[in-house]
């Protein structure tokens, strides 16, 4: 099979021929129809994630059809259209037994703990616990958006953020996570302030339902601007990027008893930001992480999609080939494309 491949961190990524994978006893092989190009893949290539071992095939967000079954897989068939969460639960650890497969003690992540989906085929274990059947009306490209950014935003807003109708939601950064959060917050009855430094991203945020947009390159005090718009602060605020500035702005813009949701990965010099604990105490704020979503929680999100209340297809940006993805992955830190870039041509 053809796959993107690198043998050292920050070394050139290239397309190469690798052996077709075989399924584990509890796993399947999926023929990849579409794969999302995510900033997390760039972090893996840079060497920011200790789960990545060399040599490596990146990619963790995808949809496709089952091409081969492990001997212990009973509830799936070759040809089934599927996707899956990027963090796959083992099904037997204490976290999985309480329904929290997204923080499994023995998790498997394609593109991180194992070979990823930037390839014609990808093998994944734990199939019974993690595969999600795709609705017929949901195409592969749109489905590829779900497995990381969309599900993380959905759980972050709906579950961790406990959004109520009428709540103000501040979304800091309008990449894939941020744009997903805007759609989801609006579908659940929220009012949204979107923040970014790129005019084109803010325009897309408005099209997806943001009530107000703020250009952080033109406004010195984003938290103050949000508090003014919302009449005292947002009830829920999301750092969808993972930088010291967006994290602190997200906390500082909250109303009393507001909830900060950290979705963007904090790496490098941003790994340990100085959290303003004074306001956290005085305002009884909540600081909450959100890491993916369990396969068993997909039905609620899929119902919103099939009913037309949210539309992951609206997040799609460029559609590229596997060859083009090699260059796109290496450029992600200095060229952030509008919308979600999807690889859908593998030959």
């Amino acid at each position: 099979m053809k796959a993107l491949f690198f043998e050292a961190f920050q070394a050139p990524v290239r397309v190469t021929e690798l052996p077709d994978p075989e399924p584990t006893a509890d796993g399947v092989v999926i023929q990849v129809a579409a794969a999302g190009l995510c900033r997390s893949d760039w972090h893996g290539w840079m060497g920011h994630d200790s789960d990545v071992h060399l040599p490596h095939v990146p990619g963790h967000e995808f949809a496709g059809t089952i091409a081969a079954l492990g001997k212990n897989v009973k509830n799936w068939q070759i040809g089934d259209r599927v996707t899956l969460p990027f963090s796959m639960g083992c099904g037997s650890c204490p976290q999985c037994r309480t329904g929290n497969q997204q923080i499994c003690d023995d998790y498997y992540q394609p593109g991180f703990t194992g070979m990823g989906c930037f390839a014609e085929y990808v093998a994944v274990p734990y199939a019974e616990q993690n595969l999600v059947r795709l609705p017929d009306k949901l195409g592969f490209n749109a489905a590829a958006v779900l497995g990381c950014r969309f599900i993380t935003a959905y759980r972050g807003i709906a579950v961790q953020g406990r959004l109520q109708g009428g709540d103000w939601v501040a979304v800091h950064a309008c990449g894939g996570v941020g744009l997903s959060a805007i759609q989801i917050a609006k579908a659940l009855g929220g009012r949204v302030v979107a923040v970014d430094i790129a005019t084109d991203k803010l325009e897309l945020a408005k099209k997806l339902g943001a009530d107000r947009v703020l250009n952080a390159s033109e406004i010195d005090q984003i938290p103050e601007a949000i508090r003014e718009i919302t009449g005292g602060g947002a009830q829920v605020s999301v750092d969808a990027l993972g930088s010291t500035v967006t994290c602190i702005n997200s906390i500082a813009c909250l109303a009393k008893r507001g909830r900060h949701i950290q979705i963007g990965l904090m790496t490098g010099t941003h790994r340990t930001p100085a959290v303003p604990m004074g306001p956290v105490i005085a305002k009884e704020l909540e600081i909450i992480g959100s890491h993916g979503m369990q396969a068993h929680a997909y039905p609620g999100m899929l119902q919103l999609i099939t009913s037309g209340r949210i539309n992951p297809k609206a997040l799609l940006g460029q559609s590229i080939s596997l060859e083009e993805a090699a260059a796109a992955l290496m450029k992600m830190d200095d060229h952030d494309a509008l919308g979600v870039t999807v690889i859908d041509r593998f030959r």
Side-chain angles (χ1 to χ4, degrees):
M1 68 174 185
K2 284 192 174 182
L4 282 194
F5 189 72
F6 60 87
E7 297 178 276
F9 296 122
Q10 304 178 39
V13 181
R14 57 190 174 86
V15 177
T16 190
E17 289 282 346
L18 295 176
D20 290 351
E22 297 289 334
T24 58
D26 66 346
V28 299
V29 173
I30 298 171
Q31 183 174 6
V32 182
L37 186 64
C38 178
R39 189 172 174 84
S40 298
D41 302 311
W42 176 83
H43 282 300
W45 171 69
M46 286 291 293
H48 296 161
D49 195 311
S50 60
D51 281 336
V52 176
H53 299 286
L54 300 171
H56 194 61
V57 174
H60 65 286
E61 187 179 36
F62 66 102
T65 55
I66 296 176
L69 298 168
K71 64 180 182 180
N72 296 333
V73 177
K74 308 300 182 185
N75 295 315
W76 298 93
Q77 302 295 325
I78 291 174
D80 284 347
R81 300 172 72 251
V82 296
T83 188
L84 47 90
F86 71 90
S87 186
M88 303 173 64
C90 69
S92 59
C93 74
Q95 314 312 324
C96 288
R97 289 199 299 271
T98 58
N100 291 299
Q101 291 88 348
Q102 80 283 359
I103 51 171
C104 171
D105 292 337
D106 192 25
Y107 65 90
Y108 185 89
Q109 286 186 288
F112 292 91
T113 62
M115 294 297 191
C117 64
F118 292 169
E120 291 183 86
Y121 297 94
V122 59
V124 295
Y126 308 152
E128 300 285 17
Q129 294 86 7
N130 293 281
L131 292 186
V132 175
R133 196 178 307 276
L134 292 177
D136 290 339
K137 65 169 62 175
L138 185 60
F140 285 124
N141 282 31
V145 174
L146 302 180
C148 173
R149 286 162 280 198
F150 209 89
I151 61 169
T152 304
Y154 180 83
R155 186 167 180 277
I157 293 288
V159 180
Q160 304 292 76
R162 307 189 305 279
L163 177 68
Q164 301 295 312
D167 281 354
W168 276 103
V169 181
V171 177
H172 301 262
C174 297
V177 168
L179 294 172
S180 300
I182 290 166
Q183 271 207 10
I184 292 159
K186 292 300 294 182
L188 298 177
R191 296 174 288 175
V192 177
V193 181
V195 184
D196 206 283
I197 59 173
T199 301
D200 56 351
K201 291 184 179 182
L202 293 173
E203 287 298 320
L204 183 52
K206 284 194 288 188
K207 291 178 181 177
L208 293 175
D211 297 275
R212 296 287 298 273
V213 298
L214 297 174
N215 192 320
S217 67
E218 301 172 356
I219 299 172
D220 290 334
Q221 296 297 326
I222 287 295
E224 289 182 8
I226 293 172
R227 289 196 298 269
E228 181 177 349
I229 289 169
T230 58
Q235 282 71 47
V236 179
S237 186
V238 175
D239 176 8
L241 177 63
S243 77
T244 299
V245 170
T246 51
C247 176
I248 300 307
N249 282 351
S250 178
I251 296 168
C253 80
L254 287 169
K256 290 181 178 180
R257 297 187 61 81
R259 299 169 294 283
H260 162 75
I261 312 301
Q262 188 63 45
I263 295 178
L265 297 176
M266 309 293 287
T267 62
T269 58
H270 303 283
R271 187 177 297 276
T272 54
V275 176
M277 293 306 294
V280 170
I281 297 167
K283 295 183 178 182
E284 293 193 349
L285 306 179
E286 297 182 50
I287 309 298
I288 307 170
S290 192
H291 184 258
M293 189 171 79
Q294 318 93 311
H296 69 73
Y298 269 66
M301 180 186 70
L302 291 175
Q303 194 279 328
L304 287 176
I305 293 171
T306 56
S307 68
R309 292 176 63 190
I310 53 178
N311 179 21
K313 189 175 180 179
L315 304 177
L316 295 174
Q318 291 179 294
S319 170
I320 62 175
S321 68
L322 194 62
E323 294 278 355
E324 293 168 322
L329 174 62
M330 292 185 287
K331 292 178 181 177
M332 287 200 80
D333 194 41
D334 57 20
H335 178 69
D336 197 4
L338 182 64
V340 177
T341 299
V342 171
I343 306 164
D344 61 4
R345 300 187 302 279
F346 293 86
R347 275 284 177 187

